[in-house]
Amino acid sequence: MWLRLMLIAFVANGLGPFGLKILQERGLLEPYRLPYLLFWYLGALPLAALAFLRKPGRLSAPEVLIGGAMGCCSLGGQLATAVALESLPGHVVFAITTGGNLFIVAAAGIFLFRERVGRYGLAGIGLGIVSLLLLGTS
Amino acid sequence: MFAALAAFSFLGIFAKIADLKNCRPGAIYTLLFVWSCVLAVFAALVSNQPLGRTPGLVVEVALPFGVCAAVAGLAFQTGIRYGKIATSWLIINLSAAIPTLGSILIYREPVSAKKIMALCLIAGSVFLLWKDKLEDQQRAARQADRKGA
């Protein structure tokens, strides 16, 4: 089940940002970045709402707090990356944000949430960080 | 740059906390997208980016790719119930291989040795994560056998 869901997430998450590339090729990204993000989130909203309506019920306090915090992190991360790219080269920004966030979340998983990651998992995480650093600087 | 790093890292950590608190993926992602829409409207107004005069093409591109983002978010949030955040978050980030491949195949972007090596390493990393999951399942099966005996 995990692998199936992660493969779906892998493909869908990879396709998600490709719209930025299409707009960039047509010179529409810089003047319309925020409207694009707004419509991108609006496009995502009905499907999430549909998933919510399949299991309806009162929103719990953790759902409200965590959902709100994740919304701030999602848009905040996108905007902060755009601002950073105005003053720093792309390979530095992507290396730090991608490699760094992978390292932090993996460390949180192991040390904070006490997840048991085996030798294959650790090797996979290491290889993944290296590959994304390479991709970010290529 | 460090604000972006913190924001993306907290996104992964909050996803794990949401799972531990038994939050419904649909509820979490509905609220995430609602708040992001509200903040995006606010940010667009502050930075004078014209929402009302957005070209049709921008909307036509944004909506279907937004649907992809929702599929990814819901699958990821449901998936971490069956796995670990340390490895699941990596898979989500490794999906950067897809736009890279798309740019090469569709926009004929130049293929450098670095890009090829990165894509090969991504494939290797996904394979190792799959092996890690397999090892977890074998360990769980052995423990269940021992309990049964």
Side-chain angles (χ1 to χ4, degrees):
Chain A
M1 182 62 108
W2 176 82
L3 191 67
R4 208 176 308 158
L5 286 165
M6 284 304 140
L7 282 177
I8 294 170
F10 177 84
V11 174
N13 195 59
L15 288 174
F18 199 66
L20 292 170
K21 178 71 187 167
I22 296 174
L23 291 192
Q24 190 184 33
E25 288 294 317
R26 296 178 186 231
L28 290 169
L29 182 58
E30 285 318 312
Y32 297 104
R33 183 184 289 274
L34 284 166
Y36 173 80
L37 281 176
L38 170 64
F39 287 106
W40 191 72
Y41 285 121
L42 274 177
L45 185 55
L47 191 65
L50 208 68
F52 173 54
L53 290 175
R54 280 186 66 204
K55 283 185 183 172
R58 251 178 93 99
L59 290 167
S60 66
E63 283 172 345
V64 174
L65 289 173
I66 296 172
M70 284 174 79
C72 294
C73 287
S74 175
L75 187 75
Q78 305 252 22
L79 294 180
T81 306
V83 171
L85 284 171
E86 283 171 15
S87 54
L88 289 165
H91 63 271
V92 176
V93 175
F94 289 118
I96 299 284
T97 54
T98 314
N101 108 71
L102 262 179
F103 179 77
I104 290 171
V105 175
I110 295 166
F111 298 112
L112 194 65
F113 301 115
R114 304 270 172 221
E115 289 181 338
R116 188 174 168 175
V117 181
R119 57 207 161 119
Y120 288 120
L122 288 173
I125 291 169
L127 209 60
I129 292 175
V130 172
S131 66
L132 289 172
L133 288 177
L134 266 178
L135 203 61
T137 54
S138 66
Chain B
M1 182 174 63
F2 289 104
L5 171 64
F8 290 133
S9 303
F10 273 115
L11 203 55
I13 292 168
F14 282 138
K16 178 67 186 177
I17 295 173
D19 181 53
L20 291 175
K21 299 269 179 199
N22 284 322
C23 297
R24 291 160 294 176
I28 289 289
Y29 275 82
T30 301
L31 286 164
L32 185 160
F33 295 133
V34 166
W35 273 107
S36 298
C37 285
V38 171
L39 293 173
V41 170
F42 181 73
L45 291 175
V46 168
S47 61
N48 283 326
Q49 289 206 1
L51 282 177
R53 282 177 280 130
T54 306
L57 180 71
V58 174
V59 181
E60 285 163 23
V61 172
L63 292 176
F65 285 107
V67 175
C68 287
V71 171
L74 292 168
F76 170 74
Q77 191 66 40
T78 310
I80 51 174
R81 197 156 292 172
Y82 305 97
K84 292 169 272 197
I85 188 69
T87 48
S88 306
W89 191 246
L90 177 63
I91 293 209
I92 275 281
N93 279 276
L94 290 178
S95 67
I98 291 183
T100 305
L101 273 174
S103 297
I104 292 169
L105 296 174
I106 298 169
Y107 291 106
R108 304 275 170 218
E109 271 192 7
V111 188
S112 63
K114 251 184 178 180
K115 262 185 197 165
I116 293 175
M117 196 189 283
L119 291 172
C120 292
L121 290 180
I122 285 175
S125 173
V126 172
F127 173 76
L128 287 169
L129 295 180
W130 170 71
K131 287 283 285 177
D132 179 64
K133 186 68 193 167
L134 217 62
E135 213 175 46
D136 275 354
Q137 284 170 343
Q138 285 165 351
R139 194 182 305 127
R142 274 198 303 271
Q143 277 173 352
D145 278 352
R146 241 176 273 149
K147 272 183 192 164

